[in-house]
Amino acid sequence: MDKPMKSPPPYPIASVDHALRAAAILQMEGGSTVAQLAERLGVARSTAHRVLAMLVYRDFAVRGEDHVYRAGPVLELAAHSQSLVSRLRTVALPHLRRVVALLDETANLIVRTGETVRFIASVECRQALRVGSREGMVFPAHRTTAGLLLLADLADEELEKIYAPERYRDRPADRPDLARLRTELRRLRRSGFAVNRERSERGLVAVGVLVRDRDGTALAGLSVSMPSVRYDPRHLRPLVATLEAAAHSLEEDLADQP
């Protein structure tokens, strides 16, 4: 896939951006009050209220008696998925911020659903040339750093099910070469980390590691993304060590959660 780094359009429409971000927050995290959403979007409460009212009107959100807005029929996820994503994001954010403070590159937390991955949290660095937030965005799993790591944790039978030919009957070009993918995943299992050089987007390099639960099951991928002009392979080992330390700390915090 040959895609440029994503950047805001030259003539952004703020109201549309607010609505899309609000919808992603409700879908991934399960709910938000007007005040909470206003803080997340960096807007006045009146603006957040208008955004939520329009989402309710179009069935992208519903308002409960507790005055909490949740994903509506258009966006609804399974309740357990919302709970897990919300918990992961909440616990991960301090660790993402520490990674950004240490590396000065954008940090992300990513989960997999089937053949795709979703960025559930992003913390941008402060450099002028930087990779922007991918929070809420969805990409093919086999084209992202975290996605490859999460696929590498699967059994061969599950991998075959995800990439079964019949699922790609109407879009054969989207199906990866399974033999080549298996070879790559075996290498990733040995190394324990992944490097994505312009595989998902042109001009972008990402490095990632896995986050596991107390039983060793892969929950998410923790990664940093940077412009390719700033990536130096000689610094890969200390970069991976920083990510591994952050992932380990995150795993400990998750284990302490009820």
Side-chain angles (χ1 to χ4, degrees):
M1 181 180 292
D2 189 19
K3 296 171 62 180
M5 287 179 60
K6 290 185 178 179
S7 57
Y11 303 104
I13 302 174
S15 59
V16 174
D17 187 47
H18 293 332
L20 293 174
R21 290 177 61 196
I25 289 169
L26 295 182
Q27 185 186 46
M28 293 189 297
E29 300 176 35
S32 177
T33 65
V34 172
Q36 290 168 340
L37 186 68
E39 182 179 358
R40 289 286 298 280
L41 298 180
V43 299
R45 291 191 183 190
S46 59
T47 300
H49 185 271
R50 289 195 297 271
V51 168
L52 288 167
M54 184 55 67
L55 292 181
V56 170
Y57 175 68
R58 292 296 183 184
D59 290 326
F60 281 76
V62 293
R63 181 177 181 269
E65 293 182 0
D66 54 359
H67 303 293
V68 173
Y69 292 81
R70 296 178 175 83
V74 175
L75 297 176
E76 190 173 22
L77 294 173
H80 71 277
S81 297
Q82 291 179 335
S83 175
L84 175 61
V85 168
S86 179
R87 184 164 64 96
L88 274 172
R89 187 182 187 282
T90 299
V91 177
L93 276 173
H95 299 280
L96 295 182
R97 294 187 183 109
R98 281 194 285 272
V99 169
V100 173
L102 290 169
L103 301 176
D104 203 14
E105 299 292 356
T106 298
N108 311 285
L109 190 72
I110 303 100
V111 296
R112 182 188 64 83
T113 302
E115 65 185 22
T116 64
V117 289
R118 180 187 293 273
F119 285 65
I120 64 171
S122 286
V123 176
E124 293 186 23
C125 67
R126 295 185 177 182
Q127 302 204 56
L129 178 62
R130 64 181 181 271
V131 177
S133 171
R134 297 297 189 266
E135 189 169 304
M137 291 185 178
V138 176
F139 292 87
H142 69 283
R143 292 193 178 277
T144 67
T145 304
L148 286 167
L149 288 168
L150 291 164
L151 290 172
D153 203 60
L154 300 177
D156 281 346
E157 296 78 12
E158 190 166 358
L159 196 67
E160 290 178 2
K161 182 179 179 181
I162 290 173
Y163 294 110
E166 56 269 22
R167 298 187 61 190
Y168 292 83
R169 189 172 293 112
D170 298 328
R171 48 190 181 103
D174 292 341
R175 183 174 181 264
D177 183 312
L178 210 51
R180 291 179 59 185
L181 182 59
R182 284 199 185 96
T183 299
E184 183 172 17
L185 297 182
R186 283 195 293 269
R187 178 178 58 79
L188 294 180
R189 291 188 194 106
R190 292 193 297 269
S191 67
F193 66 90
V195 180
N196 176 350
R197 301 190 190 191
E198 304 187 331
R199 185 168 183 166
S200 56
E201 297 180 53
R202 188 169 64 248
L204 182 151
V205 174
V207 181
V209 299
L210 282 175
V211 175
R212 299 181 181 274
D213 64 15
R214 67 183 70 194
D215 298 321
T217 302
L219 292 176
L222 175 64
S223 70
V224 289
S225 304
M226 67 197 75
S228 57
V229 295
R230 206 154 57 227
Y231 174 68
D232 187 343
R234 294 173 297 179
H235 299 158
L236 178 60
R237 284 297 173 182
L239 192 158
V240 170
T242 299
L243 288 175
E244 288 176 338
H248 181 65
S249 297
L250 173 53
E251 289 167 351
E252 289 182 336
D253 286 353
L254 285 170
D256 291 338
Q257 294 287 309

